[in-house]
Amino acid sequence: MGDFLSSVLPPGLIDVLSALIPPVVVATVFCAFVIKLLRKEMAPRRMDGSLVSDGADDDAGAGDNGSAGVDETEAPNETPIVRGGERTESDGR
């Protein structure tokens, strides 16, 4: 394999790549650790400091709408949906 690379790549490039590979591996592991730590620290927490996902196992059957397969959707601003040029009673125009 070394003979193939030396025939394809310029002579100095192999030395540069062999010198850069260890720092790149260390930097990748460090970045993965930092990202994992940041995701853990930014996870939603309750007022007592416990993670929200920890309590999901305790309340699995009690009032979990997702487990029943019910998808309750509401408009985020609670604006009624009207057709065409119709007005709602609260428009007051």
Side-chain angles (χ1 to χ4, degrees):
M1 184 78 173
D3 294 332
F4 174 72
L5 285 178
S6 62
S7 66
V8 175
L9 299 174
L13 188 60
I14 294 174
D15 294 334
V16 171
L17 289 176
S18 63
L20 286 178
I21 288 175
V24 168
V25 170
V26 171
T28 303
V29 170
F30 178 75
C31 288
F33 173 75
V34 168
I35 289 171
K36 183 178 179 181
L37 180 67
L38 288 176
R39 288 181 60 138
K40 181 180 175 187
E41 290 298 319
M42 294 184 339
R45 296 182 181 269
R46 293 192 182 95
M47 294 298 288
D48 64 353
S50 64
L51 289 172
V52 172
S53 62
D54 290 344
D57 297 337
D58 299 337
D59 303 331
D64 186 14
N65 291 338
S67 64
V70 177
D71 187 20
E72 296 180 12
T73 58
E74 293 182 16
N77 59 2
E78 297 180 10
T79 304
I81 299 173
V82 295
R83 296 182 190 164
E86 298 177 1
R87 289 196 219 172
T88 60
E89 295 175 9
S90 61
D91 281 346
R93 292 188 199 185

